[in-house]
């Protein structure tokens, strides 16, 4: 059984089709189709039901897909261990960062890393924390940044812990206060980030603990757009303090959120018990230099 065939099959499932998988693997669609057919022939069973407009996993395909993810992740671990022999003069680092705060927290790390290890190719993907955790589990990235607490399947290294501030329309009754909690906001609607952002989970979890169910007025992945929605009076949103301070707006007030367990507790995470390549360990070392443990 060839790794190439397993990778092609896993890509078809993950990417949602043969053409998408071909683009993801920088191959032609016939090449991907041939690899999957060869895998089915070798195993003696159909993995994909191609009878409809979209290929679907058969029962056997489900089993092979989940096994393939583990096999490919183990292969990547093996190759990473071999890369250690070569040192840090060449290699790559698959890194996942969230859109929120990366310019503040990780741009200095990236700059120092690039200066110290110019031969390492940093392959960066940007998603919300929940999506990054999925990519870590599937082996598509080696390190990711997320909000704590992280699932038990990951090990972590702290980066920073920052309070949140509420972004309020300038004429909101709480706009002049030093701090507030959710009960002070009354029925003010929330403006949240897209569903894959862990910050939503933290905020909505805190609201549930107070038996509150806020109305969600809008969702977006763009901080500037969210700020403008707040300025129009649509609702309240929340940002880490140091990020909010970089985006002052004449029609938006920033008030400290005094709500338990809502800190922006950022960390680098990786699959527990996975081998970390020298490139990944070097990244963590620089993170520790810039953000030493308290």
């Amino acid at each position: 059984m060839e790794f190439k065939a397993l990778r092609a099959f896993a890509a078809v499932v993950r990417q949602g089709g043969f053409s998408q998988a071909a683009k993801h693997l920088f191959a032609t669609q016939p090449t991907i189709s041939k690899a999957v057919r060869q895998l089915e022939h070798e195993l003696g069973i159909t993995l994909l039901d191609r009878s409809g407009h979209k290929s679907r996993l058969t029962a056997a395909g489900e089993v092979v897909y989940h096994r393939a993810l583990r096999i490919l992740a183990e292969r990547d671990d093996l190759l990473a261990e071999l890369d250690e022999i070569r040192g840090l003069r060449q290699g790559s680092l698959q890194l996942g960062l969230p859109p929120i705060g990366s310019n503040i927290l990780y741009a200095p790390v990236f700059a120092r890393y690039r200066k110290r290890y110019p031969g390492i190719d940093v392959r960066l993907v940007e998603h919300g924390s929940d999506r990054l955790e999925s990519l870590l589990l599937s082996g598509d990235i080696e390190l990711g940044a997320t909000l704590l607490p992280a699932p038990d399947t990951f090990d972590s290294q702290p980066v920073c812990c920052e309070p949140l501030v509420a972004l309020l329309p300038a004429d909101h009754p709480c706009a002049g206060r030093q701090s507030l909690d959710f009960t002070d906001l009354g029925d003010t609607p929330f403006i949240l980030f897209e569903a894959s952002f862990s910050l939503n989970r933290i905020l909505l979890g805190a609201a549930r603990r107070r038996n509150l169910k806020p109305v969600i007025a809008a969702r977006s992945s763009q901080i500037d757009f969210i700020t403008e929605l707040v300025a129009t009076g649509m609702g309240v949103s929340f940002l880490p303090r140091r990020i909010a301070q970089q985006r002052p707006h004449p029609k938006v007030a920033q008030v400290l959120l005094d709500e338990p367990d809502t800190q922006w507790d950022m960390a680098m995470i990786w699959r527990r018990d996975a081998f970390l390549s020298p490139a990944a360990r070097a990244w963590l070392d620089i993170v520790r230099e810039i953000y030493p443990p308290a």
Side-chain angles (χ1 to χ4, degrees):
M1 188 183 302
E2 294 185 357
F3 287 113
K4 185 182 295 185
L6 284 176
R7 193 172 295 279
F9 171 66
V12 170
V13 178
R14 279 204 302 262
Q15 302 300 320
F18 285 83
S19 60
Q20 298 93 320
K23 292 178 182 178
H24 180 73
L25 295 177
F26 302 102
T28 64
Q29 184 170 338
T31 298
I32 300 299
S33 298
K34 181 180 179 181
V36 174
R37 284 197 303 271
Q38 287 176 341
L39 180 62
E40 290 178 319
H41 178 74
E42 182 177 358
L43 295 175
I45 197 164
T46 300
L47 303 178
L48 292 170
D49 180 3
R50 302 170 176 81
S51 60
H53 294 294
K54 184 177 180 181
S55 298
R56 299 181 182 278
L57 282 171
T58 63
E62 288 276 0
V63 173
V64 173
Y65 173 64
H66 292 294
R67 290 278 187 174
L69 291 182
R70 289 199 291 271
I71 291 170
L72 292 171
E74 287 292 331
R75 174 186 180 273
D76 290 342
D77 284 350
L78 170 62
L79 294 178
E81 290 183 50
L82 296 176
D83 282 343
E84 187 171 17
I85 298 173
R86 304 185 183 98
L88 288 167
R89 292 184 299 275
Q90 61 178 348
S92 63
L93 172 63
Q94 286 75 33
L95 178 68
L97 298 179
I100 303 176
S102 291
N103 61 323
I104 297 175
L105 294 181
Y106 299 109
V109 180
F110 202 106
R112 188 176 299 186
Y113 190 89
R114 174 60 65 198
K115 183 177 181 180
R116 194 173 296 178
Y117 307 111
I120 301 298
D121 178 21
V122 180
R123 300 173 184 176
L124 178 65
V125 297
E126 294 180 286
H127 289 289
S129 295
D130 291 348
R131 175 61 176 154
L132 292 180
E133 291 174 6
S134 296
L135 293 175
L136 281 167
L137 288 175
S138 66
D140 286 325
I141 59 176
E142 189 173 8
L143 293 174
T146 190
L147 292 180
L148 296 177
D152 292 339
T153 48
F154 300 110
D155 284 326
S156 65
Q157 178 177 306
V159 175
C160 76
C161 188
E162 186 83 7
L164 298 181
V165 297
L167 305 184
L168 295 163
D171 59 356
H172 191 279
C174 296
R177 298 181 56 166
Q178 294 296 313
S179 64
L180 58 79
D181 60 36
F182 284 159
T183 61
D184 298 319
L185 294 172
D187 58 357
T188 305
F190 282 16
I191 302 171
L192 298 179
F193 286 93
E194 295 290 354
S196 65
F197 287 67
S198 291
L199 187 57
N200 294 343
R201 183 175 68 239
I202 290 171
L203 291 166
L204 295 177
R208 282 194 298 272
R209 288 192 292 274
R210 289 190 177 272
N211 295 317
L212 300 174
K213 190 175 181 181
V215 173
I216 310 303
R219 293 178 184 269
S220 174
S221 61
Q222 302 298 319
I223 294 176
D224 290 338
F225 183 59
I226 287 175
T227 303
E228 289 297 334
L229 292 179
V230 172
T232 66
M234 183 176 289
V236 58
S237 194
F238 307 90
L239 283 176
R241 180 170 59 188
R242 72 170 68 186
I243 296 175
Q245 289 173 343
Q246 283 199 334
R247 287 173 163 81
H249 192 292
K251 295 183 180 180
V252 175
Q254 299 181 12
V255 180
L256 183 68
L257 179 63
D258 184 14
E259 191 70 46
D261 299 323
T262 55
Q263 294 83 7
W264 190 59
D265 196 359
M266 181 63 68
M268 298 300 306
I269 63 172
W270 57 94
R271 283 186 296 120
R272 178 157 292 173
D273 301 326
F275 175 84
L276 284 182
S277 69
R281 291 201 299 271
W283 175 273
L284 293 175
D285 287 343
I286 292 177
V287 170
R288 199 176 294 114
E289 291 173 11
I290 296 177
Y291 304 106

